[in-house]
Amino acid sequence: INCGSDRLPLRPAVGDFTTLGPRRFRISYRWTSSGGTLEGSAEAVSWTAPNNPGSYRVTVVVSDEAK
């Protein structure tokens, strides 16, 4: 990604709801990256690329309280 900056805002595409899912359960987000730094929480974070060029994976797991 070349966005003219080493910082990229990220949001998952999970529908038109942010804190309550379609079944009215609270939604949680767990972000991980294979390099760089993630800042923020919930559905909106920013990823800052590391100094070393390469390929990096940013993953978000979205879940609700339903069992």
Side-chain angles (χ1 to χ4, degrees):
I1 296 175
N2 184 353
C3 60
S5 171
D6 63 352
R7 187 176 175 92
L8 181 64
L10 303 172
R11 293 182 71 96
V14 294
D16 193 19
F17 48 88
T18 55
T19 58
L20 295 176
R23 294 181 293 165
R24 308 296 298 166
F25 291 105
R26 186 153 309 279
I27 300 294
S28 66
Y29 302 85
R30 185 172 50 89
W31 292 86
T32 59
S33 69
S34 62
T37 305
L38 292 168
E39 295 178 34
S41 61
E43 74 276 5
V45 302
S46 292
W47 177 70
T48 302
N51 291 329
N52 300 329
S55 296
Y56 299 93
R57 181 180 299 251
V58 177
T59 305
V60 60
V61 175
V62 181
S63 58
D64 62 24
E65 295 175 345
K67 299 287 184 209

